[in-house]
Amino acid sequence: MDASIYIATSLQANLFRDMDVTANNIANLNTAGYQAEKLSFNQYLEEDGETKDAYANEPSSYRDLTPGAMQYTNNSLDFAISGNAYFQVQTPLGVRYTRAGGFQLNEQGSIVTTDGYPVLGADGSEITVPEGTKEVVVNGIGQVGADGQTIGQIGLMSFRNEQGLQRLGNSLYTSSEAPEPSESARVVQGAIESSNVNGVTELVRVMNLTRAVTNSSKFIDTMYNLERKTSDAYTNSQAA
């Protein structure tokens, strides 16, 4: 089979992968704290005699760490992070990390995520708001006050290798690296970090990817037809 078909096929496989990633980004356009996923493609040359063919390696993915815009809600339990850090939450499978700060209180008064996972303090403990509290205030370094009394401090955790975090679902992450308390990140109360997905950019990408897939499919069909005609012509010449 002509090497150009293999090259086009490898390209098409990567285009489909890119399409899936882009579609997932669009689906999370309104997911708080979502960080868009991107693909990085590399090419390599394979030499066959005097010719060199360029192939596409399996693409590697990475997250766009650009902060999303802050959406101000004036809800005292909505928190956004200014800086490169993550909230830590306790899940049934262990501690996980997130930038989605739309929190609430459970029946026990603990601050939890919308999925009911307790938000952990800097010391790894749950933060519980006393019953009857009228006002919850969180300052920049994450100290939580209930009616003027400090009841805990939200843990803001940072990682040396943020790209090493593994996405679980659309808003949680896990890491084999032990996090460290962030010294520079700050909490913004009454706000939620929006998704950093640019809807217009992603839609344009979908159109470009669709066009590229169509063109590569046409090229593959053309090459297959050319090979078939060449094979038929050779067979007929041998029969004659």
Side-chain angles (χ1 to χ4, degrees), residues 87-103:
F87 301 111
Q88 54 180 357
V89 300
Q90 183 67 55
T91 77
L93 299 178
V95 178
R96 298 295 184 260
Y97 307 93
T98 184
R99 287 182 68 89
F103 302 141

Side-chain angles (χ1 to χ4, degrees), residues 54-94:
Y55 293 83
N57 278 324
E58 180 72 16
S60 58
S61 63
Y62 64 96
R63 287 182 296 119
D64 179 0
L65 300 178
T66 304
M70 287 193 187
Q71 178 181 353
Y72 292 92
T73 66
N74 293 323
N75 185 330
S76 62
L77 292 178
D78 284 343
F79 308 135
I81 298 177
S82 175
N84 296 327
Y86 298 80
F87 301 111
Q88 54 180 357
V89 300
Q90 183 67 55
T91 77
L93 299 178

Side-chain angles (χ1 to χ4, degrees), residues 12-130:
Q12 194 171 62
N14 289 335
L15 289 173
F16 282 128
R17 169 78 182 281
D18 202 351
M19 184 75 79
D20 289 340
V21 168
T22 303
N24 189 60
N25 286 340
I26 293 175
N28 286 282
L29 183 62
N30 296 315
T31 300
Y34 180 82
Q35 296 176 324
E37 185 176 0
K38 306 292 183 181
L39 291 184
S40 176
F41 296 91
N42 293 313
Q43 289 186 332
Y44 67 94
L45 295 178
E46 188 170 283
E47 189 169 357
D48 181 15
E50 296 181 354
T51 63
K52 292 183 177 179
D53 298 323
Y55 293 83
N57 278 324
E58 180 72 16
S60 58
S61 63
Y62 64 96
R63 287 182 296 119
D64 179 0
L65 300 178
T66 304
M70 287 193 187
Q71 178 181 353
Y72 292 92
T73 66
N74 293 323
N75 185 330
S76 62
L77 292 178
D78 284 343
F79 308 135
I81 298 177
S82 175
N84 296 327
Y86 298 80
F87 301 111
Q88 54 180 357
V89 300
Q90 183 67 55
T91 77
L93 299 178
V95 178
R96 298 295 184 260
Y97 307 93
T98 184
R99 287 182 68 89
F103 302 141
Q104 56 193 23
L105 298 182
N106 64 12
E107 294 180 354
Q108 291 73 42
S110 295
I111 299 177
V112 298
T113 68
T114 54
D115 293 320
Y117 302 143
V119 178
L120 301 181
D123 59 358
S125 63
E126 296 184 22
I127 301 174
T128 302
V129 178

